[in-house]
Amino acid sequence: MGSDTNVEKPRPWVAFATFLVIQAVLGCWWAAFYPGLFSRDSVLYLSHTIAGPWISDHSVLYDALLWLSFTRTGDLGAVTFLQTTAMAATLTFLAQSLKAVGAPRKLTTLVVVLMPLAPPVGAFSVTLWKDVPFTICVVAIAGVCARFAARRAVTVPGLIGLAALTLALGLFRANGFLVVGVAVVVLLLIVKTMRVRLLLAGTVAAALPLVLTNLVFPQFGIAAPSKTYVYHTAFGDIAVAYRDRPDLFTEQDKALMTSVAPLTRWWEGGTCYTINPLIWRRNFSWPQADAHATELLELWRRLLVAEPRMVIDTRLCRGAIAWKPVQDESATGGTTYRFSRRPNADTYVGPTKVTDFPGRWVYSLRPLSQELHQVGDSWLTAALAPQYDWVLWRGASWAYLSYLAVGLAAWVLRNRYVVGVAAVVAGQQLAILANISAQDFRYMASPILIGALLVPLLLGSVGRLVRGFWRPRPSRPEPAPVLAASSAPEPLPGPGATPEPAFELDTTNDPSPQSDATPSPSPQSDATPSPSPRSDATPDPLLEPDAAPDPSPGPGHASEAAAEPTKPKQA
């Protein structure tokens, strides 16, 4: 058995046992909140597939999973159970991949089996959100990049898996192509081989979901997202500008805005942290916003040119969930949103908020175990306390920790590929900064999971660094005296010639001279060199993992061919 800092052979039984433990804990969450937690978006996923029309504003793939579960089983529990299984497998895969890179094995195993107990993992895994499979794919991509780091190369099977996972990102979230784009650029700066294939795979994965949404899905009766849904963040920028700088708006601009919603709605919705008070109110007309989308976008473009700093500040404020470790409890929409936790759909969305459909009762909590529900609900309620927000629900803190972990590990291990593990974290963080609607923790859930699993790697790197500074350097032994020998071998004697010894012994002070034909052996035999206190050819595995023993003899070791006298040739 090796230590945590040594590379060991893979042990499949450890991975399988880890998966079973995680699955068991997530199964308890599933039984406690059956068929799963949900929000207004969760109801919309299924309502338009049953009552129609089918729209690709969320995720056609996830909508299809809900539709398939509802029509085949009459419930939605199959989807959330599938999510728990995929989450358990993905966390196990990332943990095993980080062990292969050099993370301490026991500590990594301990962290990954404890993670499902935390609500950001357990409760999140049993929520009916497209963000759950999206997060699972992001964590799996980090695991693939960790495999690249362990091998210090991009492999063909790994590239195929990476392409499939990045494609799934775009299918589960509309902004997945932004995450893919940033992650691929980071990987291209790190890897040394197969860059063209990596660029091609990333390009296809980012472009294909856009092609499907705009060209393929409409051919099957799945309508494209409404213009308001696509440009709602731009409308939110207009609301913030109107509240802060009303002097920038002409009477014509105000008339345009009034055709969509009263000016009071634009003013009340002008909070930079969220767009919900603007577009999710009765007096905001989505049909009118769709009809005047072109004019509203022109107004937004004019504001961007006139006051670019104001628009950028608004985007940074709305994307605070991606870069700000703490919430702003004093501002409207500045707190972190976690879960809705309503008992049924009507109590949350109301009977007229979404299109009604037969079987809507499936959106109601029906725990399989009341005991597990009481424990899980009290544990989740306690975790929602504001003092735990920065560590449990804000992905920005874990994103920064991820960069520190991979940066230090890459330096200590002398392995630049380790940086690629956080490439997808950077992609998600920048994508959220570019375009997001509110302070929802689910938008930055994957950095929480990846960052937590990178903690053992960070601690292991710090340990290696500290031991490297404090460990005394081994003293080199004094070199043995070099015998007087010819640096180049003498030519072989010709036939009948008298051979000469390979070297001459100095017998001036020898008390018992030897015969010239039998030279006395050297005090240090060339065939068996004397052992040194510490061989310099053996590298320190903690400080020099890439070093290899030097096969050449050290100083003081003469050539074996030169030390042995040439025997005379038989006549």
Side-chain angles (χ1 to χ4, degrees):
M1 299 294 292
S3 64
D4 284 348
T5 56
N6 294 331
V7 177
E8 300 178 7
K9 293 182 179 180
R11 292 178 290 180
W13 68 269
V14 175
F16 184 65
T18 302
F19 165 78
L20 291 180
V21 172
I22 299 174
Q23 178 66 73
V25 177
L26 294 180
C28 293
W29 285 99
W30 180 74
F33 293 98
Y34 183 88
L37 297 171
F38 56 89
S39 67
R40 182 183 187 276
D41 288 348
S42 307
V43 183
L44 288 173
Y45 296 159
L46 189 59
S47 67
H48 65 247
T49 63
I50 302 299
W54 195 318
I55 306 173
S56 59
D57 52 355
H58 288 284
S59 169
V60 173
L61 179 57
Y62 195 70
D63 294 348
L65 290 176
L66 293 181
W67 175 85
L68 188 63
S69 176
F70 179 75
T71 56
R72 294 295 182 269
T73 68
D75 212 333
L76 304 176
V79 175
T80 47
F81 187 81
L82 180 62
Q83 290 176 178
T84 61
T85 305
M87 181 67 78
T90 302
L91 291 177
T92 303
F93 172 64
L94 178 57
Q96 295 299 111
S97 301
L98 291 176
K99 292 177 187 178
V101 173
R105 291 182 173 274
K106 294 180 181 179
L107 182 58
T108 303
T109 302
L110 178 63
V111 170
V112 76
V113 297
L114 291 179
M115 284 177 60
L117 296 173
V121 181
F124 177 67
S125 299
V126 297
T127 305
L128 291 162
W129 279 337
K130 63 180 183 294
D131 306 89
V132 177
F134 177 87
T135 300
I136 292 173
C137 292
V138 174
V139 176
I141 290 174
V144 172
C145 294
R147 292 290 176 178
F148 292 161
R151 296 179 175 87
R152 299 177 187 251
V154 177
T155 61
V156 173
L159 186 60
I160 294 175
L162 183 66
L165 291 170
T166 51
L167 175 61
L169 289 186
L171 294 177
F172 283 120
R173 280 200 65 87
N175 63 346
F177 72 96
L178 295 175
V179 180
V180 174
V182 176
V184 169
V185 170
V186 174
L187 291 175
L188 289 174
L189 298 175
I190 298 172
V191 303
K192 298 180 179 179
T193 59
M194 300 181 69
R195 290 181 174 177
V196 176
R197 296 183 184 181
L198 178 61
L199 178 61
L200 180 61
T203 302
V204 173
L208 187 57
L210 299 177
V211 174
L212 291 175
T213 300
N214 296 283
L215 299 178
V216 178
F217 291 155
Q219 303 299 322
F220 294 89
I222 303 176
S226 64
K227 294 181 179 179
T228 301
Y229 183 83
V230 175
Y231 304 125
H232 61 282
T233 53
F235 299 167
D237 296 342
I238 295 174
V240 174
Y242 178 73
R243 180 166 182 163
D244 294 344
R245 295 286 306 277
D247 58 290
L248 297 175
F249 294 81
T250 65
E251 293 300 325
Q252 185 178 1
D253 297 334
K254 295 177 182 179
L256 172 64
M257 295 163 61
T258 304
S259 64
V260 176
L263 292 180
T264 54
R265 170 54 48 206
W266 288 95
W267 189 89
E268 292 174 1
T271 171
C272 66
Y273 281 108
T274 178
I275 63 166
N276 292 338
L278 173 66
I279 66 174
W280 297 115
R281 297 297 182 268
R282 289 182 178 273
N283 53 4
F284 185 93
S285 174
W286 278 59
Q288 287 296 318
D290 290 344
H292 297 282
T294 303
E295 296 94 324
L296 290 172
L297 285 178
E298 177 60 27
L299 172 59
W300 177 83
R301 187 196 64 80
R302 198 175 76 238
L303 293 173
L304 178 63
V305 173
E307 295 290 340
R309 184 186 180 97
M310 179 177 60
V311 176
I312 294 175
D313 289 344
T314 301
R315 293 293 172 121
L316 290 175
C317 175
R318 194 178 299 126
I321 190 69
W323 65 269
K324 193 175 180 181
V326 295
Q327 62 182 347
D328 189 353
E329 300 182 53
S330 62
T332 303
T335 57
T336 307
Y337 168 77
R338 292 91 167 218
F339 300 105
S340 299
R341 303 181 63 218
R342 300 298 179 93
N344 54 63
D346 288 342
T347 58
Y348 180 67
V349 300
T352 61
K353 295 292 185 180
V354 297
T355 304
D356 200 2
F357 59 94
R360 182 167 154 177
W361 61 269
V362 295
Y363 286 101
S364 60
L365 288 179
R366 290 162 276 130
L368 301 181
S369 170
Q370 288 297 331
E371 292 78 9
L372 287 176
H373 177 72
Q374 292 176 0
V375 174
D377 189 63
S378 60
W379 174 228
L380 177 58
T381 302
L384 295 175
Q387 60 266 30
Y388 305 125
D389 180 74
W390 68 275
V391 65
L392 289 179
W393 308 103
R394 303 289 289 193
S397 306
W398 294 100
Y400 300 139
L401 185 142
S402 300
Y403 303 146
L404 176 61
V406 299
L408 184 60
W411 180 46
V412 171
L413 298 175
R414 294 180 176 89
N415 186 353
R416 61 189 293 179
Y417 283 80
V418 180
V419 178
V421 177
V424 71
V425 175
Q428 186 161 4
Q429 190 175 27
L430 294 177
I432 297 301
L433 282 174
N435 187 32
I436 204 62
S437 58
Q439 306 300 299
D440 291 10
F441 108 92
R442 52 179 168 160
Y443 298 152
M444 287 287 289
S446 56
I448 299 176
L449 276 61
I450 297 173
L453 270 175
L454 284 174
V455 169
L457 181 64
L458 175 62
L459 296 178
S461 301
V462 172
R464 290 182 176 95
L465 195 62
V466 171
R467 288 192 295 268
F469 278 124
W470 287 98
R471 174 176 295 178
R473 301 295 296 178
S475 59
R476 294 181 178 274
E478 292 294 332
V482 181
L483 299 177
S486 174
S487 60
E490 295 290 338
L492 294 175
T498 302
E500 296 182 359
F503 56 86
E504 296 180 359
L505 295 175
D506 187 2
T507 59
T508 304
N509 299 323
D510 195 345
S512 57
Q514 302 290 332
S515 172
D516 293 341
T518 308
S520 62
S522 172
Q524 180 175 346
S525 174
D526 297 326
T528 307
S530 60
S532 59
R534 179 181 175 90
S535 174
D536 294 334
T538 303
D540 187 348
L542 301 180
L543 301 179
E544 298 178 1
D546 297 335
D550 187 358
S552 61
H557 295 268
S559 172
E560 184 178 359
E564 183 180 354
T566 307
K567 295 182 180 179
K569 187 175 182 180
Q570 298 294 333

